[in-house]
Amino acid sequence: MTISIPSITLSNIGPLLTLTVAGLLLLLVDALSPKGKKAYFPYLALVGLAIAAAQTWMLWNRSGTDFARMLYVDNFAFFFYFIFILGTSLTILISVKYLEDYNRNVEEYYTLLIFATIGMMLMAAGGHLILIFLGLEILSIAIYILAGLFREDLKSNEAAIKYLILGAFSSAFLLFGMAMLYGVTGSLFLDDLAQAIKAGVGTNPLLLFGMGLLIVGFGFKVSSVPFHMWTPDVYEGAPTSVTAFMSVGTKAAAFAAFVRIFFLVFPEIKMEWNMLMWVFAVATMTLGNVVAIAQTNIKRMLAYSSIAHAGYLLVALVAANQLGAISFLYYLVAYTLMNLGAFAIVILVARKKDNYLNIYDYCGLGFQHPALAAAMSVFMFALAGIPPTAGFVGKFYVFSAAVEAGYIWLAIIGVMNSLISVFYYLRITVLMYMRPAEADLGPITMTPAISSAVLVTAAGVLAVGIFPGPLYHLALNSVKIFVGL
């Protein structure tokens, strides 16, 4: 038996190799460093991420496949690499103070974040369904552990167990769906699947069943209704910095794989999945926004808000045109900035033991801590879609894509949902500036790391909103691989 070794260009996987080395190095340094002398760990992780970002920049405009077609090397993957690196870097910056407040110098925390990022990158670049699945599992296992980081906290344990059990269910759905597709086409390469469907197997009931199972599996990961049930409890119970990471990282990675699979493999049978996604988009936007109104815990409010934002992203998927694909990428960058910024403020206000997580704890924050309140207002305005923020431009592109594709009612429902969301986002701003303080928050310590995170996210939300051109063109350059959009 002859085993052929595929040709491999190592530079094509430079960012993945760098992060793998960084993760292993962190483990090694952890084992060799004396206890209590590990404060530099987060900065080592940031150096690894910075090198990976530089390598991704150098790879820009390269196209093709590698590892015997297992991995795509294209701008679509690289765009998501940047989102993942940005999200992980900001999470590390907001985590330093959070872990210090809990006296939890858990060095493995940063290693797990790095490995989770590798999993996300594999999902965005995977050209074979099994590689996408492996990326998903690398990401999921890291998140299961991170969600249960505070072992003595019952809510943290509950979050980890719930996410583990429901994550296992979603993985089973995905694997079963992949098996169905293999049964029909005899291949798990995305290119082969697309060609088989073009050749006429698109109406095979087994293939449609497999495609439906993929939608269910990815639906769990992106918190789409009706697969969203785990989201509020897991978001509330997990450590706040982990919740922030999950809200942007997991969602972006799952959507990256979702888009690549459905735009590359299933465009020939778009009608079969498009109406289903239409229904999911409406249900996800509406349930997320309506239930968020009733929340008094700010982490649960942001959890339901996250569900609503998944609905907006589904609108871009339903449009399935060039503007839809561009708006999808644009919105994910905007969402990463505004959501991580909001969670940074939540960490600063809540402090040790998450004492101040009720939204009424924000009463009077504008007088006690004006800078924090101003930053939180920027993030709330952006999440609500108020100009001149990135959130407004993102929603404008998404709804414009729906109109351009002929989904007028979907765009109207999206705008109405956006108006509903204004109520609970602006409620935070009103409480901060128009209500007397109900709790003495005392002095809030701003470390350089978390201050940097707040400044970067606030400036990014405004810069991307006021000058959307560069990001728009970057996104346009990234979606050219999808022929026919």
Side-chain angles (χ1 to χ4, degrees), residues 8 46 52 67 84 104-105 126 135 145 158 192 198 215 256 262 269 278 344 371 376 384 392 404 423 437 441 449:
I8 297 169
L46 286 173
F67 281 86
F84 301 148
R104 296 299 295 267
N105 296 316
I145 300 169
E158 180 190 344
D192 294 347
K198 268 185 187 174
I215 291 174
F262 278 77
I269 50 173
W278 192 100
M376 190 60 159
F392 167 74
E404 189 179 283
F423 173 79
L441 296 175

Side-chain angles (χ1 to χ4, degrees), residues 90-95 97-98 101 240-241 243-245 247 298-299 302 336-351 357 362 365 372 375-376 379-380 444-447 449-458:
L90 290 170
T91 302
I92 288 173
L93 289 175
I94 66 176
S95 299
K97 175 174 169 49
Y98 185 73
D101 285 346
T240 307
S241 57
T243 305
F245 182 68
S247 69
I298 195 157
K299 283 174 77 176
L302 288 172
T336 300
L337 290 170
M338 55 199 185
N339 213 45
L340 281 174
F343 270 108
I345 304 295
V346 171
I347 285 175
L348 282 166
V349 173
R351 282 171 291 180
L357 286 177
Y362 287 74
L365 186 71
L372 280 187
M376 190 60 159
F379 300 131
M380 291 297 110
I444 293 178
T445 308
M446 294 283 289
T447 62
I450 201 163
S451 300
S452 307
V454 173
L455 277 174
V456 167
T457 48

Side-chain angles (χ1 to χ4, degrees), residues 195-218:
Q195 285 177 9
I197 290 171
K198 268 185 187 174
V201 301
T203 53
N204 187 312
L206 205 58
L207 183 130
L208 296 177
F209 184 51
M211 185 183 71
L213 289 173
L214 289 188
I215 291 174
V216 173
F218 283 120

Side-chain angles (χ1 to χ4, degrees), residues 349-351 355-356 360-365 367-369 436-444:
V349 173
R351 282 171 291 180
N355 283 329
Y356 302 105
Y360 294 102
D361 292 329
Y362 287 74
C363 290
L365 186 71
F367 307 106
Q368 294 185 50
H369 301 283
E438 292 189 2
D440 181 15
L441 296 175
I444 293 178

Side-chain angles (χ1 to χ4, degrees), residues 186-268:
S187 176
L188 288 174
F189 284 102
L190 301 190
D191 292 340
D192 294 347
L193 287 167
Q195 285 177 9
I197 290 171
K198 268 185 187 174
V201 301
T203 53
N204 187 312
L206 205 58
L207 183 130
L208 296 177
F209 184 51
M211 185 183 71
L213 289 173
L214 289 188
I215 291 174
V216 173
F218 283 120
F220 270 107
K221 294 299 177 187
V222 303
S223 305
S224 161
V225 174
F227 315 112
H228 66 286
M229 294 79 72
W230 60 273
T231 311
D233 292 341
V234 174
Y235 275 33
E236 183 185 5
T240 307
S241 57
V242 177
T243 305
F245 182 68
M246 289 170 67
S247 69
V248 296
T250 310
K251 198 183 294 295
F255 267 122
F258 203 162
V259 168
R260 192 184 283 281
I261 292 172
F262 278 77
F263 280 26
L264 275 184
V265 177
F266 300 119
E268 301 293 325

